[in-house]
Amino acid sequence: MSVAILGISAFYHDSAAALIINGEIIAAAQEECFTRKKHDAGFPEHAIKYVLEEAGISIDDITAIAFYDKPMLKFERLLETYHAFAPKGLASFVTAIPVWIKEKLFIKKLLKDKIALLSKKNTTILFPEHHLSHAASAFYPSPFNEAAILTIDGVGEWATTTICYGISNEIKILRELHFPHSLGLLYAAFTDYLGFEINDGEYKLMGLASYGNPEAPGVIELKKKILDQLLDLREDGSFILNMEYFEFATRLRMTNPKRWQLLFGFPKREPESAINQDHINLALAIQELTELIVIALAKTAQKLTNCSNLVLAGGVALNCVANSKLAAAGIFKQIWIQPAAGDAGGALGAAYAAYHIYYKNKRSICGDKDFMKGAYLGPEYSDKDFLRVINKYNMPYRHFANFNDLTAIVSEKIADGKVIAWFQGRMEFGPRSLGNRSILGDPRNPEMQSIINIKVKAREEFRPFAPSVLLEDVSNYFKTNIPSPYMLFVYPVNEDLRKQEPVNYMDMDHTSRLNHIRSVIPSVTHVDYSARIQTVSKEGNPRFWQLITDFKKLTGCAILINTSFNIRGEPIVCTPEDAYKDFVNTEIDCLVLGNFLLEK
C-alpha cells in the first residue's frame, strides 16, 4: 500500500509544498516560484498543485497532510510574550492578534476547507513542531543512519535552537533554547541595523563581513561590546539576550536604535546608502560571534550524542562561512546540511516527520549518498513549452539536435566574455541555483563580477559569486577534495593561484580591495581569498557537467561563475516565460532553454 505525505509550510515566509511517497521525495517547490512574489507567505496552492501533478496523483491519493509547525503553541508564545513585556508592545499586539484570531488560529480548518474544494475525503492532518520539521528535513534525507542534529533559526513555536539525536527512523530532542534568545533573530537584528532586508539580506551581511580585518582594533572592540552588553554567552553555546537592546518581542522593529547607536557609536545604516568601515567592522564582529556560537553548540551536540556525524537545518545553517568554520573545527567526521534549510524546507521535514515518526516507517540508507536528488525537485519544461514562448515573442533561435554541439558553442561564448542564462531540467528547491536556473560567466575575467552584479543582477557590487567546479578538478583550485554539491561551504583558493597582494591590502578601503585582482579566477575569489563552491559531477547534473567540461577543453579552466537566474527583488525564474522576461530586461547576452539558443 502506498503512503503519500503532503508537507506544507506557510504563513510566515517562504511557503512551500513537498510530496513524499513511500519515503521517496517526489517533488518540492516554493510558492514564490509560481506567484513571482519573493518570499511569498501565502497558502501554497500553486506549489501543492505542482507536486501532485508531478507525481501524477490527486489529493484523494494523499495519506496525510503535515503542516510544519503547531499554530496553537505559537499563539501561546505570542500571548505569553506580550504579557511578560506588558505594557510594552501594545501597538504590535493590536496589529498581530486580529490576524491570529481571524486566520492563523484556524489553520487546521483552513487546510480542511482548501482540501474539501478538491476532495470529499477526510484526510488526516498532522502538526509536527517547527524545529522537529527542521530536524526531520536534515536527518531523514541525509546519508547517515545515526547523527547529531542541530537546528538554528529565528523562532518556531518556542524553540529557537534544538539539539537532537537521530538514529534509524527516530529523532529524540535533547536540548532546546527558547524565545526570545535566538541566534537567528540576533543575526537578523544586525542585518537590519546594517541597512539590509531581514530574511533576504543576511547573505549580504555575511559577504560584507569578509571585507573586515579580524585583528583590527575596531572589530575586537565591537565584539567585546556585543558580549558585554547584548548577550550573555555560555560555554555550551546557549545565551541570554539583553532585551533592553531588542524590540522584536514587543514592537514591529528589531532593535532599539538609540541604544545601539550609543553602544556602537554610529547610527543605523539607511538602505542603499554608502557602506563605510564601521559597517564592515560590525558585520565581521557579529559574523565571528555567530561562528563561535555555532561551534560551541556543535561541541555540545557531540558530547550529548557521541556521534561522528552532524546534520543541520534552520535558516542559520545557510551561513556557509559558519558552516566551513564548523567543518574545520573537526568536531565531527562528516557534516550534511539540508540545502533548503530555511522555512521552505520545513514542508519537506514535516512530510518526513509524518512518514517516519507518525507512521513509523523505516529508513533505507544508500551508502554515502543523500536522498535529495541534487535538490532538483521543482518543475521541468519541454521543447513544446520552449517553442511556445519563442514563437510568442517571435525570437530568432537555434535548436541543436545534439546537446554536445550546443555546449561547445555556449562554452565559446562564455570564453568570449558573454553572460549566459542557463535554463535546464527540474528547478532547484532551496535558495541556491545549482546549474538548472543559473546565470553563468567566465571566472577568469576580472570584470565579470562587476558586469553581472551591476548590469544583470542590479545588486550591490561587493557581493561575491560562487564557482561551479568539476568535482574531479576541485582540489586543483580549492583547499578541499570533498564534494560540495549544494553551495553550503566556503573554501580557500589555492595559494599557487593567488596574485601577490599589496603590502597594505588589509588597510585598503573595501572598494579598492574589491577591485584588486586576487587570483587567476578573480571573479569567484572573494576579498579574503575564499569561495562558496559548488562541485558538479557527471552523475549529479550531466548537462551542467558537460558545459563546464567543454569550457575546460577550450580554456583549461574547469570552473564557471554560477549565480541565480533572477534580477534583484524577484524570485529565481521558474518557467520559460520568466526566463525570457529576465533575458530581455537585462544585459544577459544569450539564453539557453534546453537545446535552444537565443541571442540578442
mmCIF file of all heavy atoms in Angstrom, residues 350-379:
data_model
loop_
_atom_site.group_PDB
_atom_site.id
_atom_site.type_symbol
_atom_site.label_atom_id
_atom_site.label_comp_id
_atom_site.label_asym_id
_atom_site.label_seq_id
_atom_site.Cartn_x
_atom_site.Cartn_y
_atom_site.Cartn_z
ATOM 1 N N ALA A 350 8.320 18.305 7.505
ATOM 2 C CA ALA A 350 7.021 17.916 8.077
ATOM 3 C C ALA A 350 6.533 16.615 7.448
ATOM 4 O O ALA A 350 6.014 15.727 8.140
ATOM 5 C CB ALA A 350 6.012 19.040 7.865
ATOM 6 N N ALA A 351 6.699 16.506 6.130
ATOM 7 C CA ALA A 351 6.289 15.277 5.443
ATOM 8 C C ALA A 351 7.117 14.081 5.923
ATOM 9 O O ALA A 351 6.588 12.992 6.174
ATOM 10 C CB ALA A 351 6.425 15.457 3.929
ATOM 11 N N TYR A 352 8.431 14.296 6.054
ATOM 12 C CA TYR A 352 9.305 13.228 6.551
ATOM 13 C C TYR A 352 8.935 12.822 7.980
ATOM 14 O O TYR A 352 8.924 11.627 8.320
ATOM 15 C CB TYR A 352 10.753 13.692 6.530
ATOM 16 C CG TYR A 352 11.537 13.276 5.314
ATOM 17 C CD1 TYR A 352 12.187 14.217 4.526
ATOM 18 C CD2 TYR A 352 11.653 11.934 4.960
ATOM 19 C CE1 TYR A 352 12.932 13.840 3.417
ATOM 20 C CE2 TYR A 352 12.393 11.555 3.853
ATOM 21 C CZ TYR A 352 13.029 12.496 3.082
ATOM 22 O OH TYR A 352 13.763 12.120 1.987
ATOM 23 N N ALA A 353 8.659 13.810 8.839
ATOM 24 C CA ALA A 353 8.300 13.507 10.224
ATOM 25 C C ALA A 353 7.032 12.660 10.278
ATOM 26 O O ALA A 353 6.927 11.702 11.066
ATOM 27 C CB ALA A 353 8.127 14.802 11.016
ATOM 28 N N ALA A 354 6.065 13.006 9.441
ATOM 29 C CA ALA A 354 4.825 12.222 9.400
ATOM 30 C C ALA A 354 5.103 10.789 8.943
ATOM 31 O O ALA A 354 4.606 9.827 9.543
ATOM 32 C CB ALA A 354 3.825 12.889 8.464
ATOM 33 N N TYR A 355 5.916 10.655 7.918
ATOM 34 C CA TYR A 355 6.166 9.338 7.344
ATOM 35 C C TYR A 355 6.933 8.430 8.304
ATOM 36 O O TYR A 355 6.583 7.266 8.491
ATOM 37 C CB TYR A 355 6.935 9.478 6.029
ATOM 38 C CG TYR A 355 7.162 8.160 5.319
ATOM 39 C CD1 TYR A 355 6.134 7.545 4.598
ATOM 40 C CD2 TYR A 355 8.393 7.509 5.389
ATOM 41 C CE1 TYR A 355 6.324 6.330 3.972
ATOM 42 C CE2 TYR A 355 8.597 6.290 4.758
ATOM 43 C CZ TYR A 355 7.559 5.706 4.046
ATOM 44 O OH TYR A 355 7.760 4.492 3.429
ATOM 45 N N HIS A 356 7.991 8.962 8.930
ATOM 46 C CA HIS A 356 8.854 8.120 9.749
ATOM 47 C C HIS A 356 8.444 8.070 11.223
ATOM 48 O O HIS A 356 8.614 7.036 11.872
ATOM 49 C CB HIS A 356 10.305 8.598 9.653
ATOM 50 C CG HIS A 356 10.939 8.305 8.331
ATOM 51 N ND1 HIS A 356 11.133 7.031 7.870
ATOM 52 C CD2 HIS A 356 11.413 9.138 7.362
ATOM 53 C CE1 HIS A 356 11.717 7.074 6.678
ATOM 54 N NE2 HIS A 356 11.891 8.335 6.350
ATOM 55 N N ILE A 357 7.934 9.178 11.756
ATOM 56 C CA ILE A 357 7.613 9.219 13.184
ATOM 57 C C ILE A 357 6.153 8.828 13.438
ATOM 58 O O ILE A 357 5.873 7.941 14.240
ATOM 59 C CB ILE A 357 7.920 10.613 13.768
ATOM 60 C CG1 ILE A 357 9.426 10.918 13.625
ATOM 61 C CG2 ILE A 357 7.506 10.689 15.239
ATOM 62 C CD1 ILE A 357 9.821 12.331 14.028
ATOM 63 N N TYR A 358 5.221 9.463 12.756
ATOM 64 C CA TYR A 358 3.802 9.164 12.987
ATOM 65 C C TYR A 358 3.434 7.776 12.448
ATOM 66 O O TYR A 358 2.782 6.985 13.138
ATOM 67 C CB TYR A 358 2.938 10.238 12.336
ATOM 68 C CG TYR A 358 1.463 10.080 12.610
ATOM 69 C CD1 TYR A 358 0.901 10.525 13.809
ATOM 70 C CD2 TYR A 358 0.615 9.473 11.678
ATOM 71 C CE1 TYR A 358 -0.454 10.376 14.071
ATOM 72 C CE2 TYR A 358 -0.737 9.317 11.932
ATOM 73 C CZ TYR A 358 -1.274 9.771 13.129
ATOM 74 O OH TYR A 358 -2.616 9.615 13.392
ATOM 75 N N TYR A 359 3.876 7.490 11.201
ATOM 76 C CA TYR A 359 3.533 6.202 10.597
ATOM 77 C C TYR A 359 4.585 5.122 10.839
ATOM 78 O O TYR A 359 4.417 3.985 10.401
ATOM 79 C CB TYR A 359 3.283 6.377 9.093
ATOM 80 C CG TYR A 359 1.981 7.086 8.813
ATOM 81 C CD1 TYR A 359 1.970 8.418 8.439
ATOM 82 C CD2 TYR A 359 0.767 6.424 8.941
ATOM 83 C CE1 TYR A 359 0.776 9.080 8.182
ATOM 84 C CE2 TYR A 359 -0.438 7.077 8.699
ATOM 85 C CZ TYR A 359 -0.420 8.412 8.316
ATOM 86 O OH TYR A 359 -1.611 9.059 8.075
ATOM 87 N N LYS A 360 5.704 5.498 11.522
ATOM 88 C CA LYS A 360 6.722 4.545 11.965
ATOM 89 C C LYS A 360 7.337 3.733 10.828
ATOM 90 O O LYS A 360 7.654 2.545 10.984
ATOM 91 C CB LYS A 360 6.152 3.602 13.039
ATOM 92 C CG LYS A 360 5.599 4.323 14.260
ATOM 93 C CD LYS A 360 5.166 3.354 15.330
ATOM 94 C CE LYS A 360 4.468 4.050 16.493
ATOM 95 N NZ LYS A 360 5.244 5.142 17.076
ATOM 96 N N ASN A 361 7.497 4.349 9.681
ATOM 97 C CA ASN A 361 8.136 3.664 8.557
ATOM 98 C C ASN A 361 9.651 3.701 8.699
ATOM 99 O O ASN A 361 10.226 4.722 9.100
ATOM 100 C CB ASN A 361 7.731 4.309 7.229
ATOM 101 C CG ASN A 361 6.282 4.025 6.877
ATOM 102 O OD1 ASN A 361 5.904 2.881 6.667
ATOM 103 N ND2 ASN A 361 5.474 5.069 6.831
ATOM 104 N N LYS A 362 10.304 2.602 8.352
ATOM 105 C CA LYS A 362 11.748 2.504 8.461
ATOM 106 C C LYS A 362 12.432 3.285 7.337
ATOM 107 O O LYS A 362 11.832 3.573 6.306
ATOM 108 C CB LYS A 362 12.194 1.033 8.412
ATOM 109 C CG LYS A 362 11.652 0.188 9.549
ATOM 110 C CD LYS A 362 12.178 0.670 10.896
ATOM 111 C CE LYS A 362 11.702 -0.220 12.031
ATOM 112 N NZ LYS A 362 12.163 0.286 13.350
ATOM 113 N N ARG A 363 13.695 3.611 7.585
ATOM 114 C CA ARG A 363 14.524 4.289 6.566
ATOM 115 C C ARG A 363 15.398 3.266 5.862
ATOM 116 O O ARG A 363 15.692 2.205 6.393
ATOM 117 C CB ARG A 363 15.455 5.318 7.209
ATOM 118 C CG ARG A 363 14.792 6.478 7.858
ATOM 119 C CD ARG A 363 15.838 7.332 8.568
ATOM 120 N NE ARG A 363 16.722 8.016 7.643
ATOM 121 C CZ ARG A 363 17.989 8.325 7.885
ATOM 122 N NH1 ARG A 363 18.553 7.936 9.022
ATOM 123 N NH2 ARG A 363 18.707 8.976 7.005
ATOM 124 N N SER A 364 15.846 3.651 4.663
ATOM 125 C CA SER A 364 16.889 2.897 3.979
ATOM 126 C C SER A 364 18.042 3.855 3.723
ATOM 127 O O SER A 364 17.835 5.026 3.436
ATOM 128 C CB SER A 364 16.384 2.326 2.660
ATOM 129 O OG SER A 364 15.912 3.365 1.814
ATOM 130 N N ILE A 365 19.268 3.356 3.855
ATOM 131 C CA ILE A 365 20.463 4.167 3.656
ATOM 132 C C ILE A 365 21.157 3.695 2.393
ATOM 133 O O ILE A 365 21.251 2.484 2.137
ATOM 134 C CB ILE A 365 21.423 4.055 4.867
ATOM 135 C CG1 ILE A 365 20.694 4.480 6.148
ATOM 136 C CG2 ILE A 365 22.674 4.907 4.662
ATOM 137 C CD1 ILE A 365 20.213 5.906 6.169
ATOM 138 N N CYS A 366 21.639 4.629 1.596
ATOM 139 C CA CYS A 366 22.237 4.313 0.299
ATOM 140 C C CYS A 366 23.708 4.726 0.292
ATOM 141 O O CYS A 366 24.089 5.724 -0.337
ATOM 142 C CB CYS A 366 21.475 5.008 -0.816
ATOM 143 S SG CYS A 366 22.016 4.558 -2.481
ATOM 144 N N GLY A 367 24.529 3.985 1.031
ATOM 145 C CA GLY A 367 25.962 4.287 1.057
ATOM 146 C C GLY A 367 26.214 5.677 1.578
ATOM 147 O O GLY A 367 25.720 6.062 2.637
ATOM 148 N N ASP A 368 26.992 6.475 0.831
ATOM 149 C CA ASP A 368 27.304 7.836 1.260
ATOM 150 C C ASP A 368 26.481 8.874 0.508
ATOM 151 O O ASP A 368 26.793 10.061 0.539
ATOM 152 C CB ASP A 368 28.801 8.119 1.078
ATOM 153 C CG ASP A 368 29.245 7.963 -0.374
ATOM 154 O OD1 ASP A 368 28.430 7.493 -1.195
ATOM 155 O OD2 ASP A 368 30.398 8.308 -0.682
ATOM 156 N N LYS A 369 25.418 8.465 -0.163
ATOM 157 C CA LYS A 369 24.597 9.377 -0.956
ATOM 158 C C LYS A 369 23.388 9.847 -0.155
ATOM 159 O O LYS A 369 22.780 9.076 0.587
ATOM 160 C CB LYS A 369 24.124 8.691 -2.245
ATOM 161 C CG LYS A 369 25.250 8.330 -3.202
ATOM 162 C CD LYS A 369 24.698 7.656 -4.440
ATOM 163 C CE LYS A 369 25.826 7.257 -5.379
ATOM 164 N NZ LYS A 369 25.315 6.538 -6.574
ATOM 165 N N ASP A 370 23.033 11.122 -0.325
ATOM 166 C CA ASP A 370 21.809 11.606 0.292
ATOM 167 C C ASP A 370 20.628 11.303 -0.632
ATOM 168 O O ASP A 370 20.788 10.740 -1.722
ATOM 169 C CB ASP A 370 21.921 13.096 0.628
ATOM 170 C CG ASP A 370 21.994 13.989 -0.596
ATOM 171 O OD1 ASP A 370 21.163 13.833 -1.518
ATOM 172 O OD2 ASP A 370 22.880 14.875 -0.655
ATOM 173 N N PHE A 371 19.440 11.697 -0.194
ATOM 174 C CA PHE A 371 18.218 11.372 -0.929
ATOM 175 C C PHE A 371 17.527 12.618 -1.497
ATOM 176 O O PHE A 371 16.341 12.587 -1.800
ATOM 177 C CB PHE A 371 17.259 10.611 -0.016
ATOM 178 C CG PHE A 371 17.754 9.243 0.365
ATOM 179 C CD1 PHE A 371 18.560 9.075 1.475
ATOM 180 C CD2 PHE A 371 17.446 8.141 -0.404
ATOM 181 C CE1 PHE A 371 19.037 7.824 1.822
ATOM 182 C CE2 PHE A 371 17.913 6.879 -0.070
ATOM 183 C CZ PHE A 371 18.719 6.717 1.051
ATOM 184 N N MET A 372 18.296 13.715 -1.651
ATOM 185 C CA MET A 372 17.714 14.975 -2.104
ATOM 186 C C MET A 372 17.649 15.104 -3.627
ATOM 187 O O MET A 372 17.154 16.098 -4.144
ATOM 188 C CB MET A 372 18.499 16.148 -1.528
ATOM 189 C CG MET A 372 18.224 16.431 -0.067
ATOM 190 S SD MET A 372 16.525 16.915 0.273
ATOM 191 C CE MET A 372 16.405 18.468 -0.614
ATOM 192 N N LYS A 373 18.188 14.115 -4.335
ATOM 193 C CA LYS A 373 18.170 14.142 -5.810
ATOM 194 C C LYS A 373 18.815 15.414 -6.349
ATOM 195 O O LYS A 373 18.348 15.998 -7.336
ATOM 196 C CB LYS A 373 16.737 13.991 -6.339
ATOM 197 C CG LYS A 373 16.066 12.690 -5.937
ATOM 198 C CD LYS A 373 14.668 12.561 -6.527
ATOM 199 C CE LYS A 373 14.045 11.210 -6.166
ATOM 200 N NZ LYS A 373 12.672 11.061 -6.719
ATOM 201 N N GLY A 374 19.880 15.850 -5.658
ATOM 202 C CA GLY A 374 20.583 17.055 -6.091
ATOM 203 C C GLY A 374 19.821 18.331 -5.820
ATOM 204 O O GLY A 374 20.245 19.402 -6.265
ATOM 205 N N ALA A 375 18.701 18.253 -5.109
ATOM 206 C CA ALA A 375 17.763 19.362 -4.863
ATOM 207 C C ALA A 375 17.019 19.762 -6.136
ATOM 208 O O ALA A 375 16.329 20.788 -6.154
ATOM 209 C CB ALA A 375 18.454 20.582 -4.242
ATOM 210 N N TYR A 376 17.115 18.952 -7.184
ATOM 211 C CA TYR A 376 16.374 19.223 -8.420
ATOM 212 C C TYR A 376 14.989 18.597 -8.290
ATOM 213 O O TYR A 376 14.717 17.497 -8.795
ATOM 214 C CB TYR A 376 17.129 18.652 -9.623
ATOM 215 C CG TYR A 376 18.556 19.142 -9.722
ATOM 216 C CD1 TYR A 376 19.628 18.267 -9.610
ATOM 217 C CD2 TYR A 376 18.830 20.503 -9.921
ATOM 218 C CE1 TYR A 376 20.935 18.718 -9.701
ATOM 219 C CE2 TYR A 376 20.136 20.963 -10.005
ATOM 220 C CZ TYR A 376 21.184 20.062 -9.886
ATOM 221 O OH TYR A 376 22.483 20.518 -9.964
ATOM 222 N N LEU A 377 14.102 19.298 -7.603
ATOM 223 C CA LEU A 377 12.800 18.761 -7.215
ATOM 224 C C LEU A 377 11.628 19.578 -7.744
ATOM 225 O O LEU A 377 10.470 19.260 -7.466
ATOM 226 C CB LEU A 377 12.709 18.697 -5.686
ATOM 227 C CG LEU A 377 13.757 17.816 -4.990
ATOM 228 C CD1 LEU A 377 13.715 18.048 -3.477
ATOM 229 C CD2 LEU A 377 13.545 16.351 -5.315
ATOM 230 N N GLY A 378 11.925 20.639 -8.519
ATOM 231 C CA GLY A 378 10.885 21.548 -8.982
ATOM 232 C C GLY A 378 10.421 21.262 -10.400
ATOM 233 O O GLY A 378 10.755 20.225 -10.990
ATOM 234 N N PRO A 379 9.671 22.197 -10.993
ATOM 235 C CA PRO A 379 9.075 21.986 -12.317
ATOM 236 C C PRO A 379 10.119 21.850 -13.428
ATOM 237 O O PRO A 379 11.192 22.447 -13.382
ATOM 238 C CB PRO A 379 8.228 23.250 -12.524
ATOM 239 C CG PRO A 379 7.991 23.786 -11.162
ATOM 240 C CD PRO A 379 9.213 23.447 -10.370
#
